[in-house]
Amino acid sequence: MLFSTTTAIAFVVRISIALCTRTVFQPDEYFQALEPAHHIVFGYGHLTWEWLSPRPIRSIVYPALNVPLYWILKHTGLDSHEKLGDFLIVNSPRVLHGSFAALTDIWLCKLTRRTIGKRYETSALLLSLTSFFHALSLSRSLSNSLETSLTTIALAFYPLSDSSTPQIRSDIKTMLIFAAMACSVRITNAIIWAFLIPILLWRMRSNVQLLILTLFDITIIGGATLALIFALDTFYYGQLTFTPLSFLTTNLSGVSLFYGDSPWHYYLSQAIPIICTTSLPFVLDGFWMTIHHSGNPALRTLLGLVFWSIGVYSLAGHKEWRFIHPVLPILHVFAAKSLVDRSAYTVNFKEKANIQRFPIRKVFLALLLATLPVSAWVVLVHCSGPLSVMSFIRDIPKHDLHGGVVGVMMPCHSIPGHAYLHRPQLANGGLWSLGCEPPLSNQNLSTYRDQTKIFFANPYQYLIDRFPDRVDTTFPISPYPTSIPGEITPNDAWRHEWPRYLVFFGVLLEEQGIEEHLVGRGYEEVWKGGRFWEGDSELRRGGVRVWKWQQSG
């Protein structure tokens, strides 16, 4: 009964969050998931350098999950039904990824039950459902989110203690299948299994038959997964392509540092406190109890996995919160043990009357629930402008949808792409945005400048040098408005025509000469959204503004 109730709650919560999300978090949510799928089905979409470089580093496996949804909408004609079509194009993938997210909550319960017992199960579920970072990230179309769900399922089948090693082989096979799926979504998930698989094999050393059968399963399942990735990517790219290898070699070359270089302690000092928020004291207490008081081998294995994962990820220069998202459900297991064991009472779940659903102190419960207003803020309000402006662009009258329609003068990938617009008139130059191609030819990072950096170094001079002095009221397509993904673009190559609409962050108007220059060319503000203080950098502050050409200056 609990499992079915858990399932219903998880799906309702995660799909609701997905459908209600009005904010942006990471560009990969759009450009590494929805855009490639939209491009496959509808023939247009913004493909970044990861997909277009001579050695592409992204596998089509994860984006392909969205293809059936778009294919159904296209072949039923529902995508062309104006408001209904727009709603389905945007929200069908949200329902899909919200459903994937629910699997984390559901299988965390089984993992908790197998690891520390049934009485901790509802506390673990509460931790997962009230998690700030799950609310922010889990229901989004990010590969890390599906990786988290698949990892949690695999861990729920992993023999975490010596006593469970001789279990039926089917559990181990199921674990290997879901682990392989997680690695196919993000190859870096192999870090987790590089720790757990050797431990499993070592525990089997006294059962030679089971050891041999497990090695056979690892070979077959692992080999089949790699072969499938190779086949799908080769078919998609039209050439022999093995993206796991190109992903690793490209990132080891230092290209990832173009997107930021964090100190070694980033995950300890920033990421774990942020993804845990108010559950952090209970996570740390769970660690303490496991180290000093617990004889539970399953908890000790999970604790070792946490230390291993954080340690290995800390070796990389480029770090992000979401990279360690698959570790969060494990942290919730430790927090659940602390919450229940430190509370003054426990509950027998077999009682049918006067059941205290969560066997934890009220003050602990209040601390966990304190994150809900913050979660609501980041889902509904914070950085909503870049998503709200997509509705404005979708509503541009059809008689304006010709030639150069929209120019986006923002840091690259600040707003979603064509999968959130679904307007073929805006493809092939109808909408352009600034590029930010990394130094794929091993240029010096300290001196390398992409189009975004060149523009914001002196926006006024960029407009003077690269835009015509007067607006051509036929609004022709710009000849070279943005960097070509995957190619080296000379710094003097970009040339623009003035579009009918300009989209930018309000902070741009604070640059000397910008507002006067736009007004002088006949542009006026017609829409604004978001709040002036929002944004993950100074270049993304001031809210989102839309200016439209109204008359000759």
Side-chain angles (χ1 to χ4, degrees):
M1 182 65 180
L2 179 61
F3 184 82
S4 61
T5 302
T6 299
T7 301
I9 293 173
F11 275 101
V12 169
V13 170
R14 296 305 172 195
I15 293 175
S16 296
I17 291 175
L19 292 174
C20 292
T21 297
R22 295 293 180 269
T23 58
V24 296
F25 173 44
Q26 284 286 338
D28 283 5
E29 176 183 358
Y30 316 108
F31 296 98
Q32 307 303 336
L34 304 180
E35 288 296 293
H38 191 275
H39 188 275
I40 289 173
V41 176
F42 297 103
Y44 64 98
H46 182 85
L47 299 182
T48 59
W49 69 269
E50 292 97 329
W51 302 92
L52 297 177
S53 63
R55 296 186 62 198
I57 69 170
R58 295 295 185 189
S59 173
I60 197 59
V61 170
Y62 180 63
L65 298 173
N66 302 287
V67 168
L69 298 177
Y70 289 144
W71 187 91
I72 291 171
L73 294 177
K74 177 181 179 179
H75 288 274
T76 58
L78 289 173
D79 69 299
S80 60
H81 280 247
E82 297 185 351
K83 293 295 184 181
L84 174 62
D86 293 342
F87 177 85
L88 293 174
I89 282 288
V90 171
N91 289 290
S92 295
R94 290 185 172 194
V95 173
L96 175 66
H97 293 279
S99 300
F100 290 152
L103 300 177
T104 296
D105 305 312
I106 295 167
W107 288 94
L108 172 63
C109 291
K110 181 175 180 179
L111 174 62
T112 303
R113 186 165 63 250
R114 291 189 61 181
T115 306
I116 52 179
K118 186 176 179 62
R119 72 191 185 103
Y120 299 90
E121 196 172 331
T122 51
S123 296
L125 178 62
L126 175 67
L127 284 158
S128 189
L129 293 176
T130 59
S131 167
F132 158 78
F133 195 71
H134 276 348
L136 173 64
S137 182
L138 191 60
S139 293
R140 296 179 186 267
S141 51
L142 289 164
S143 59
N144 309 89
S145 300
L146 181 57
E147 177 196 10
T148 299
S149 294
L150 294 172
T151 302
T152 305
I153 298 172
L155 288 173
F157 285 97
Y158 179 86
L160 280 163
S161 63
D162 293 328
S163 60
S164 61
T165 301
Q167 271 188 340
I168 299 175
R169 182 174 162 223
S170 62
D171 268 11
I172 298 174
K173 290 175 68 175
T174 303
M175 177 269 294
L176 290 172
I177 290 171
F178 280 101
M181 292 169 64
C183 292
S184 68
V185 170
R186 282 189 68 84
I187 191 61
T188 50
N189 190 257
I191 292 170
I192 290 175
W193 305 105
F195 177 85
L196 290 177
I197 296 298
I199 291 176
L200 177 63
L201 296 176
W202 176 254
R203 288 173 178 169
M204 290 178 179
R205 66 190 183 279
S206 60
N207 189 335
V208 177
Q209 182 181 8
L210 182 60
L211 176 61
I212 293 174
L213 290 173
T214 301
L215 286 171
F216 176 79
D217 291 337
I218 292 172
T219 303
I220 296 299
I221 294 171
T225 301
L226 293 175
L228 180 62
I229 294 172
F230 176 75
L232 288 175
D233 289 342
T234 296
F235 176 77
Y236 172 71
Y237 288 108
Q239 62 184 26
L240 295 178
T241 305
F242 188 58
T243 52
L245 179 60
S246 55
F247 176 87
L248 293 174
T249 55
T250 300
N251 281 285
L252 289 174
S253 71
V255 169
S256 64
L257 299 180
F258 175 73
Y259 299 100
D261 185 9
S262 301
W264 67 267
H265 55 78
Y266 173 87
Y267 288 119
L268 295 175
S269 60
Q270 296 184 46
I272 289 181
I274 287 170
I275 70 173
C276 291
T277 56
T278 57
S279 68
L280 181 61
F282 306 109
V283 171
L284 297 178
D285 186 49
F287 288 174
W288 175 266
M289 295 168 69
T290 300
I291 294 171
H292 294 280
H293 306 294
S294 176
N296 186 331
L299 279 180
R300 290 184 177 274
T301 300
L302 288 180
L303 184 61
L305 174 60
V306 171
F307 289 167
W308 162 266
S309 300
I310 300 302
V312 174
Y313 274 108
S314 295
L315 297 175
H318 179 59
K319 304 177 180 70
E320 296 184 30
W321 306 341
R322 60 192 176 101
F323 291 172
I324 62 168
H325 198 173
V327 175
L328 184 54
I330 303 173
L331 301 181
H332 287 157
V333 174
F334 288 98
K337 179 171 178 56
S338 171
L339 281 166
V340 175
D341 289 357
R342 297 297 185 186
S343 294
Y345 54 84
T346 58
V347 174
N348 183 351
F349 282 92
K350 295 182 180 179
E351 295 176 2
K352 295 185 178 180
N354 300 320
I355 290 181
Q356 171 67 43
R357 294 298 297 173
F358 300 109
I360 60 177
R361 294 179 181 177
K362 291 182 179 179
V363 64
F364 293 168
L365 180 61
L367 190 59
L368 297 182
L369 296 180
T371 62
L372 295 184
V374 181
S375 298
W377 177 264
V378 298
V379 169
L380 300 172
V381 180
H382 186 68
C383 291
S384 60
L387 213 57
S388 299
V389 76
M390 304 306 283
S391 297
F392 176 89
I393 297 174
R394 282 196 300 269
D395 290 338
I396 291 176
K398 290 184 178 180
H399 59 77
D400 281 351
L401 292 175
H402 61 84
V405 184
V406 179
V408 182
M409 298 192 299
M410 293 173 159
C412 66
H413 306 140
S414 291
I415 63 175
H418 290 285
Y420 263 60
L421 293 174
H422 197 61
R423 296 292 185 270
Q425 302 93 328
L426 297 178
N428 302 315
L431 178 147
W432 57 261
S433 56
L434 301 177
C436 56
E437 309 314 308
L440 294 176
S441 298
N442 297 318
Q443 297 98 317
N444 190 326
L445 275 175
S446 63
T447 59
Y448 178 80
R449 297 198 304 165
D450 57 44
Q451 185 183 14
T452 293
K453 288 182 179 178
I454 290 174
F455 175 85
F456 284 102
N458 192 333
Y460 178 74
Q461 194 63 46
Y462 188 101
L463 296 182
I464 294 295
D465 293 343
R466 302 173 192 270
F467 283 74
D469 185 58
R470 301 182 63 84
V471 176
D472 183 340
T473 57
T474 64
F475 301 104
I477 298 287
S478 293
Y480 205 124
T482 187
S483 305
I484 299 176
E487 296 184 10
I488 299 175
T489 303
N491 289 348
D492 60 352
W494 303 298
R495 289 292 180 268
H496 301 262
E497 293 287 347
W498 289 101
R500 191 181 298 272
Y501 295 87
L502 289 169
V503 179
F504 50 84
F505 288 107
V507 69
L508 184 63
L509 296 175
E510 299 175 10
E511 295 287 338
Q512 184 176 4
I514 291 293
E515 185 168 3
E516 294 81 1
H517 192 73
L518 296 181
V519 171
R521 299 302 172 279
Y523 286 90
E524 298 177 10
E525 184 169 284
V526 294
W527 184 91
K528 65 179 179 179
R531 283 142 291 277
F532 71 89
W533 66 83
E534 295 174 347
D536 59 0
S537 70
E538 289 300 322
L539 298 180
R540 289 189 168 98
R541 301 197 186 280
V544 177
R545 310 295 182 91
V546 178
W547 284 42
K548 180 183 179 183
W549 183 86
Q550 303 282 27
Q551 59 183 1
S552 299

